Amino acid sequence: MSNISTTSQANVTTTPSLSVQEDSKTTLSQIKNEVEDTGITTSICQVPWSHVPDAVLVNFWKVVYWSSQILTWLILPIMQSYSNAGNFSVSGKIRSALLENAIFYGSYLTIFGVFLIYVASTMDIDAGKLQVIGVTASNTWGLFLLVLLLGYGLVDIPRRQWHDSKRGHKLSEVYFKVAKLSTEKSEAEEGLEDVLEDIKKQLNQFVTTSLL
Protein backbone atom coordinates (compact mmCIF):
# COMPACT_ATOMS: atom_id res chain seq x y z
CA MET A 1 0.00 0.00 0.00
CA SER A 2 2.80 2.39 0.75
CA ASN A 3 4.35 1.86 -2.70
CA ILE A 4 1.00 2.45 -4.40
CA SER A 5 0.47 5.74 -2.48
CA THR A 6 3.98 6.89 -3.27
CA THR A 7 3.57 6.29 -6.99
CA SER A 8 0.21 7.99 -6.98
CA GLN A 9 1.68 11.07 -5.25
CA ALA A 10 4.52 11.18 -7.77
CA ASN A 11 2.04 11.02 -10.63
CA VAL A 12 0.02 13.82 -9.06
CA THR A 13 3.09 16.04 -8.56
CA THR A 14 4.53 15.44 -12.02
CA THR A 15 1.29 15.92 -13.91
CA PRO A 16 1.05 19.74 -13.43
CA SER A 17 4.68 20.25 -14.56
CA LEU A 18 4.06 18.24 -17.68
CA SER A 19 0.89 20.16 -18.43
CA VAL A 20 2.70 23.49 -17.98
CA GLN A 21 5.45 22.42 -20.36
CA GLU A 22 2.90 21.27 -22.94
CA ASP A 23 1.00 24.58 -22.62
CA SER A 24 4.19 26.62 -23.07
CA LYS A 25 5.16 24.61 -26.13
CA THR A 26 1.67 25.09 -27.58
CA THR A 27 1.80 28.85 -26.93
CA LEU A 28 5.23 29.20 -28.55
CA SER A 29 4.11 27.21 -31.58
CA GLN A 30 1.00 29.35 -31.93
CA ILE A 31 3.07 32.57 -31.79
CA LYS A 32 5.48 31.17 -34.36
CA ASN A 33 2.65 30.20 -36.70
CA GLU A 34 1.02 33.64 -36.36
CA VAL A 35 4.31 35.38 -37.17
CA GLU A 36 4.85 33.15 -40.20
CA ASP A 37 1.27 33.71 -41.40
CA THR A 38 1.52 37.52 -41.18
CA GLY A 39 4.90 37.54 -42.98
CA ILE A 40 6.71 39.54 -40.28
CA THR A 41 10.43 38.87 -40.52
CA THR A 42 11.72 41.54 -38.15
CA SER A 43 12.12 41.11 -34.41
CA ILE A 44 9.17 41.78 -32.16
CA CYS A 45 11.06 44.36 -30.00
CA GLN A 46 12.44 47.17 -32.14
CA VAL A 47 15.87 48.55 -31.23
CA PRO A 48 15.49 52.18 -30.06
CA TRP A 49 17.35 54.94 -31.86
CA SER A 50 19.20 55.84 -28.64
CA HIS A 51 20.64 52.36 -28.19
CA VAL A 52 24.41 52.30 -27.82
CA PRO A 53 26.35 49.04 -28.11
CA ASP A 54 28.26 47.86 -25.07
CA ALA A 55 31.62 48.04 -26.85
CA VAL A 56 31.14 51.76 -27.56
CA LEU A 57 30.51 52.57 -23.90
CA VAL A 58 33.51 50.54 -22.76
CA ASN A 59 35.83 52.19 -25.29
CA PHE A 60 34.47 55.64 -24.45
CA TRP A 61 35.08 55.02 -20.76
CA LYS A 62 38.66 53.88 -21.49
CA VAL A 63 39.35 57.02 -23.56
CA VAL A 64 37.96 59.34 -20.88
CA TYR A 65 39.70 57.55 -18.00
CA TRP A 66 43.18 57.23 -19.51
CA SER A 67 43.11 60.71 -21.06
CA SER A 68 42.29 62.16 -17.64
CA GLN A 69 45.09 60.09 -16.11
CA ILE A 70 47.62 61.35 -18.67
CA LEU A 71 46.47 64.95 -18.25
CA THR A 72 46.58 64.75 -14.45
CA TRP A 73 49.90 62.95 -14.04
CA LEU A 74 51.95 64.14 -17.02
CA ILE A 75 50.74 67.06 -19.12
CA LEU A 76 49.30 69.43 -16.51
CA PRO A 77 52.22 69.13 -14.01
CA ILE A 78 54.74 69.74 -16.80
CA MET A 79 52.75 72.77 -18.01
CA GLN A 80 52.57 74.11 -14.45
CA SER A 81 56.31 73.66 -13.93
CA TYR A 82 56.97 75.24 -17.33
CA SER A 83 54.96 78.35 -16.44
CA ASN A 84 56.66 78.67 -13.05
CA ALA A 85 60.18 78.16 -14.39
CA GLY A 86 62.47 81.16 -14.18
CA ASN A 87 64.49 80.40 -17.32
CA PHE A 88 64.49 82.83 -20.22
CA SER A 89 64.49 80.31 -23.07
CA VAL A 90 61.93 77.71 -24.08
CA SER A 91 64.44 74.88 -23.92
CA GLY A 92 65.55 75.98 -20.47
CA LYS A 93 61.97 76.07 -19.20
CA ILE A 94 61.27 72.64 -20.63
CA ARG A 95 64.46 71.28 -19.08
CA SER A 96 63.57 72.75 -15.69
CA ALA A 97 60.00 71.42 -15.90
CA LEU A 98 61.18 67.92 -16.79
CA LEU A 99 63.81 67.94 -14.03
CA GLU A 100 61.32 69.13 -11.42
CA ASN A 101 58.75 66.51 -12.40
CA ALA A 102 61.43 63.81 -12.54
CA ILE A 103 62.36 64.55 -8.93
CA PHE A 104 58.68 64.69 -7.95
CA TYR A 105 57.71 61.42 -9.61
CA GLY A 106 60.98 59.75 -8.63
CA SER A 107 60.14 60.22 -4.98
CA TYR A 108 56.63 58.86 -5.56
CA LEU A 109 57.95 55.85 -7.46
CA THR A 110 60.38 55.13 -4.64
CA ILE A 111 57.59 55.14 -2.07
CA PHE A 112 55.36 53.07 -4.36
CA GLY A 113 58.19 50.59 -4.96
CA VAL A 114 58.71 50.10 -1.22
CA PHE A 115 55.00 49.41 -0.70
CA LEU A 116 54.94 47.15 -3.75
CA ILE A 117 57.82 45.09 -2.41
CA TYR A 118 56.00 44.78 0.90
CA VAL A 119 52.77 43.66 -0.79
CA ALA A 120 54.65 41.25 -3.08
CA SER A 121 56.29 39.64 -0.06
CA THR A 122 52.93 39.01 1.60
CA MET A 123 50.86 37.85 -1.41
CA ASP A 124 51.18 36.72 -5.02
CA ILE A 125 50.98 39.54 -7.61
CA ASP A 126 50.40 39.13 -11.32
CA ALA A 127 49.91 41.68 -14.10
CA GLY A 128 46.19 42.08 -13.43
CA LYS A 129 46.67 42.67 -9.71
CA LEU A 130 49.50 45.12 -10.41
CA GLN A 131 47.24 47.14 -12.70
CA VAL A 132 44.52 47.18 -10.04
CA ILE A 133 47.04 48.35 -7.42
CA GLY A 134 48.26 51.15 -9.70
CA VAL A 135 44.74 52.36 -10.52
CA THR A 136 43.75 52.19 -6.86
CA ALA A 137 46.84 54.11 -5.76
CA SER A 138 46.27 56.89 -8.31
CA ASN A 139 42.59 57.21 -7.39
CA THR A 140 43.43 57.23 -3.68
CA TRP A 141 45.98 59.99 -4.15
CA GLY A 142 43.51 62.04 -6.21
CA LEU A 143 40.77 61.66 -3.60
CA PHE A 144 43.26 62.56 -0.85
CA LEU A 145 44.22 65.80 -2.63
CA LEU A 146 40.56 66.54 -3.34
CA VAL A 147 39.54 66.11 0.30
CA LEU A 148 42.61 67.98 1.57
CA LEU A 149 42.53 70.98 -0.78
CA LEU A 150 38.86 71.31 -1.71
CA GLY A 151 37.78 72.10 1.83
CA TYR A 152 40.53 74.71 2.20
CA GLY A 153 39.61 76.29 -1.13
CA LEU A 154 35.90 76.38 -0.29
CA VAL A 155 36.71 78.22 2.94
CA ASP A 156 39.66 80.40 1.91
CA ILE A 157 38.32 81.84 -1.37
CA PRO A 158 35.05 83.26 0.05
CA ARG A 159 36.96 84.52 3.10
CA ARG A 160 39.49 86.28 0.88
CA GLN A 161 36.72 87.85 -1.18
CA TRP A 162 34.99 88.96 2.01
CA HIS A 163 38.17 90.57 3.37
CA ASP A 164 38.92 92.24 0.02
CA SER A 165 35.49 93.88 0.10
CA LYS A 166 36.41 95.62 3.38
CA ARG A 167 38.32 98.82 2.63
CA GLY A 168 39.93 99.09 6.07
CA HIS A 169 41.19 95.51 6.01
CA LYS A 170 42.44 95.89 2.45
CA LEU A 171 44.24 99.15 3.32
CA SER A 172 45.94 97.54 6.32
CA GLU A 173 47.07 94.64 4.15
CA VAL A 174 48.49 97.06 1.56
CA TYR A 175 50.30 99.01 4.30
CA PHE A 176 51.86 95.78 5.55
CA LYS A 177 53.00 94.85 2.04
CA VAL A 178 54.39 98.35 1.47
CA ALA A 179 56.39 98.21 4.72
CA LYS A 180 57.79 94.82 3.72
CA LEU A 181 58.70 96.07 0.24
CA SER A 182 60.31 99.19 1.75
CA THR A 183 62.50 97.01 3.99
CA GLU A 184 63.51 94.86 1.01
CA LYS A 185 64.23 98.03 -0.99
CA SER A 186 66.51 99.38 1.77
CA GLU A 187 68.37 96.07 1.94
CA ALA A 188 68.77 96.05 -1.84
CA GLU A 189 70.12 99.61 -1.80
CA GLU A 190 72.62 98.71 0.91
CA GLY A 191 73.73 95.71 -1.13
CA LEU A 192 74.09 97.92 -4.19
CA GLU A 193 76.21 100.41 -2.24
CA ASP A 194 78.48 97.59 -1.06
CA VAL A 195 78.87 96.36 -4.63
CA LEU A 196 79.71 99.88 -5.81
CA GLU A 197 82.31 100.21 -3.08
CA ASP A 198 83.90 96.95 -4.14
CA ILE A 199 83.91 98.08 -7.76
CA LYS A 200 85.59 101.37 -6.83
CA LYS A 201 88.24 99.54 -4.83
CA GLN A 202 88.91 97.14 -7.68
CA LEU A 203 89.04 100.03 -10.13
CA ASN A 204 91.51 101.99 -7.98
CA GLN A 205 93.67 98.90 -7.55
CA PHE A 206 93.60 98.30 -11.29
CA VAL A 207 94.60 101.92 -12.04
CA THR A 208 97.42 101.78 -9.50
CA THR A 209 98.71 98.53 -10.91
CA SER A 210 98.55 99.81 -14.47
CA LEU A 211 100.51 102.97 -13.56
CA LEU A 212 103.24 100.94 -11.92
Side-chain angles (χ1 to χ4, degrees), residues 15-212:
T15 302
S17 62
L18 292 174
S19 61
V20 170
Q21 292 178 359
E22 291 177 355
D23 293 337
S24 62
K25 290 180 180 179
T26 304
T27 306
L28 290 174
S29 62
Q30 289 177 357
I31 294 173
K32 184 176 180 181
N33 293 329
E34 289 178 358
V35 171
E36 291 178 354
D37 293 337
T38 54
I40 300 174
T41 58
T42 58
S43 60
I44 298 174
C45 296
Q46 297 292 332
V47 179
W49 64 270
S50 60
H51 174 72
V52 179
D54 295 336
V56 174
L57 293 177
V58 172
N59 293 328
F60 181 73
W61 179 84
K62 289 181 179 179
V63 170
V64 172
Y65 181 81
W66 290 112
S67 61
S68 62
Q69 289 285 332
I70 293 172
L71 285 172
T72 304
W73 290 97
L74 291 178
I75 297 177
L76 292 179
I78 291 175
M79 292 177 63
Q80 183 178 2
S81 300
Y82 178 85
S83 62
N84 293 330
N87 302 86
F88 296 100
S89 61
V90 176
S91 61
K93 288 185 176 182
I94 294 175
R95 192 182 303 107
S96 298
L98 293 176
L99 180 60
E100 181 179 354
N101 284 274
I103 296 172
F104 179 75
Y105 289 117
S107 60
Y108 276 117
L109 288 176
T110 303
I111 297 172
F112 180 75
V114 172
F115 280 105
L116 185 61
I117 293 171
Y118 172 75
V119 174
S121 62
T122 56
M123 58 182 296
D124 295 332
I125 296 179
D126 53 3
K129 292 181 181 179
L130 184 61
Q131 183 179 3
V132 171
I133 291 173
V135 172
T136 305
S138 64
N139 290 332
T140 303
W141 176 250
L143 291 174
F144 175 74
L145 288 180
L146 184 65
V147 172
L148 184 65
L149 299 179
L150 183 61
Y152 177 77
L154 289 175
V155 174
D156 185 69
I157 293 175
R159 181 176 59 187
R160 183 177 295 275
Q161 296 294 328
W162 173 260
H163 288 325
D164 290 341
S165 63
K166 297 179 181 180
R167 294 183 178 179
H169 184 273
K170 189 66 177 177
L171 187 61
S172 300
E173 184 179 359
V174 171
Y175 283 157
F176 176 76
K177 290 181 179 179
V178 167
K180 185 177 179 180
L181 291 174
S182 178
T183 304
E184 293 177 356
K185 177 177 175 294
S186 299
E187 292 177 356
E189 288 178 350
E190 292 177 358
L192 179 60
E193 290 177 356
D194 294 337
V195 171
L196 291 175
E197 289 292 333
D198 293 336
I199 292 173
K200 289 180 179 178
K201 290 179 180 179
Q202 293 294 330
L203 182 61
N204 293 330
Q205 186 178 2
F206 178 75
V207 171
T208 304
T209 306
S210 61
L211 291 176
L212 294 176

Side-chain angles (χ1 to χ4, degrees), residues 1-16:
M1 290 293 290
S2 60
N3 293 328
I4 295 171
S5 62
T6 304
T7 54
S8 62
Q9 290 177 359
N11 293 328
V12 171
T13 55
T14 55
T15 302

